[in-house]
Amino acid sequence: MTLAATVGRLTADSTALAATETRGFLSPTGVEVAFLLVGLVTLGAAIVTVTTRQLVHAALWLVVALGGLAVEYLLLTAEFIAWVQVLIYVGSVVVLLLFGLMLTKAPIGRSPDADSGNRWAALTVAVAAAAALVWVVVDAFRTTWIDLDGPAAGTTAVTGASLFQNWVLPFEALSVLLLAALVGAIVLSRKAKADATSAADEKEGAR
């Protein structure tokens, strides 16, 4: 390599490095803008999920919120986690919730009894939990930076090993919780059906 080529390459590298260093908060990239917009949509969908009085609409808005999280993972170059989010949460958890709603014959329209007088207490607990979660995440990843233009930080093998070695207990606890919810929905639906049958029999006997 000639001296001129070497000097030119060093100049180009220093220019690129200077451009990277001067890029700050007021000059975001397209990925950062998309991440912010998707985050706002996800936050709005989550708020509608917990504030609407229509149970079916709440489940559908939950799909939007979980799908938004999957897009956020995709923008962070975590393709495997994004597809797991879609397959497990959007494709399984929400379907299970809808199945439970249909088994318990939840009303399709507005449900006045879906709200209670504990809204402010629930809001206080939710804000406190959100603040604690944000503080824990910020404290854990304070000095961690993700290079969105570089290669993926984690592979499928590393993510799977971490999930099924370090997080296997919460994973199985969530599975048991979902199974309990499904069994509870079936028990409630059968109980309601038995009560309706006994009421009909008593009415028929009275005649």
Side-chain angles (χ1 to χ4, degrees):
M1 182 179 295
T2 61
L3 180 61
T6 304
V7 172
R9 182 175 180 179
L10 292 176
T11 304
D13 292 341
S14 61
T15 303
L17 181 61
T20 303
E21 292 178 350
T22 56
R23 190 183 67 192
F25 179 76
L26 298 179
S27 58
T29 62
V31 175
E32 294 171 345
V33 173
F35 187 88
L36 178 61
L37 294 178
V38 174
L40 292 176
V41 173
T42 304
L43 177 62
I47 293 175
V48 175
T49 300
V50 298
T51 55
T52 183
R53 296 189 178 183
Q54 300 190 20
L55 298 180
V56 177
H57 288 181
L60 296 178
W61 279 110
L62 182 61
V63 174
V64 178
L66 296 176
L69 288 177
V71 175
E72 297 283 56
Y73 287 133
L74 195 61
L75 292 175
L76 292 175
T77 66
E79 293 85 0
F80 175 70
I81 302 298
W83 284 116
V84 168
Q85 176 80 12
V86 172
L87 293 176
I88 294 180
Y89 288 96
V90 179
S92 299
V93 175
V94 176
V95 171
L96 180 60
L97 291 176
L98 291 174
F99 187 57
L101 291 177
M102 288 184 286
L103 280 176
T104 54
K105 297 182 180 179
I108 301 299
R110 293 177 62 86
S111 301
D113 58 346
D115 198 1
S116 66
N118 299 324
R119 172 179 294 186
W120 292 108
L123 180 61
T124 303
V125 173
V127 171
L133 181 61
V134 170
W135 181 81
V136 168
V137 172
V138 171
D139 184 68
F141 301 98
R142 187 186 305 274
T143 58
T144 302
W145 296 91
I146 299 176
D147 185 10
L148 299 179
D149 298 327
T155 62
T156 304
V158 174
T159 305
S162 176
L163 177 63
F164 292 105
Q165 289 180 1
N166 302 328
W167 300 96
V168 63
L169 184 59
F171 187 80
E172 294 299 330
L174 179 60
S175 303
V176 174
L177 179 62
L178 294 176
L179 180 60
L182 180 59
V183 173
I186 295 175
V187 171
L188 290 176
S189 64
R190 291 179 63 88
K191 182 179 179 181
K193 184 178 179 180
D195 293 341
T197 304
S198 61
D201 293 340
E202 291 176 0
K203 187 177 181 180
E204 187 67 25
R207 290 181 180 178

